[in-house]
Amino acid sequence: MYKNFLGERATIPSRVWGEITVESVELTDAVDGDLVLLKGDPFSAEAPLVRIHSECVFAEAFDSALCDCADQMHMALSEICKEGCGILFYLRIDGRGAGLSAKVKATALEVEGMDTHDSRISIGVSPDNRSFQKVAEYLVRNSVRKVRLLTNNPDKANGLKEFGIEVETASLRVPNPSDEVASLYRTKAEKFGHLIDD
Ligand SMILES: [Zn+2]
């Protein structure tokens, strides 16, 4: 099913996260494939910590203040490292699957004050285009039947449950968010159904 299902693996020493094994796997339509970051032996855990993260080059490479993507990734890695075990799926679908050109266009509107839902509608792309089916299949193939998912997004939990994976969720919310991120949380709660407590 996967051109590269078993992928290539390398264990890299991270300055912050210690030793992390990265595996190249195709989990989306991303041209160069995606990455799975493995800490410890999550395939033997009863219910490993899991984060499904979509690449956000603005936050991760350029420290954009408009979103919390890099913070969420760091918080998830921190939780996983505290346990010494877990999986972070790094999906290379920046712009929630719509691509970088759409993301740049939508961002230009967001800087003018439009929210991330309406900006995408106004440029003719879906507010959220992602499918988590191949992530679920990856877990099943590695005999992971239950996970503790680090997310505020019920679509991610449901995307795994649909394929028979038992999911407990734990929220990931940046403490003391900036005004931009607080406004993003409101949009995500109101228009994307995210579970974010105030
Ligand atoms: Zn972002």
Side-chain angles (χ1 to χ4, degrees), residues 95-181:
R96 282 180 239 122
L100 280 177
S101 158
K103 174 169 173 150
V104 172
K105 260 198 209 169
T107 300
L109 297 172
E110 288 157 25
V111 173
E112 298 295 315
M114 196 179 280
D115 73 40
T116 184
H117 179 276
D118 294 355
S119 65
R120 295 169 65 100
I121 299 280
S122 78
I123 63 166
V125 299
S126 160
D128 195 341
N129 242 354
R130 293 172 293 180
S131 158
F132 305 111
Q133 177 175 348
K134 288 185 178 177
V135 170
E137 288 171 357
Y138 176 94
L139 291 169
V140 168
R141 292 214 184 185
N142 283 292
S143 306
V144 177
R145 294 289 178 181
K146 184 174 178 185
V147 298
R148 284 172 296 140
L149 190 65
L150 295 162
T151 189
N152 305 318
N153 183 354
D155 285 350
K156 288 184 182 171
N158 293 334
L160 299 185
K161 284 178 189 167
E162 256 181 72
F163 295 93
I165 292 170
E166 206 179 316
V167 181
E168 275 175 29
T169 54
S171 81
L172 261 193
R173 187 191 159 130
V174 177
N176 308 315
S178 63
D179 289 349
E180 292 93 342
V181 171

Side-chain angles (χ1 to χ4, degrees), residues 56-71 74 178 180-181:
C56 175
V57 71
F58 288 2
E60 292 161 19
F62 309 134
D63 285 321
S64 165
L66 293 174
C67 61
D68 64 342
C69 303
D71 295 319
H74 295 153
S178 63
E180 292 93 342
V181 171

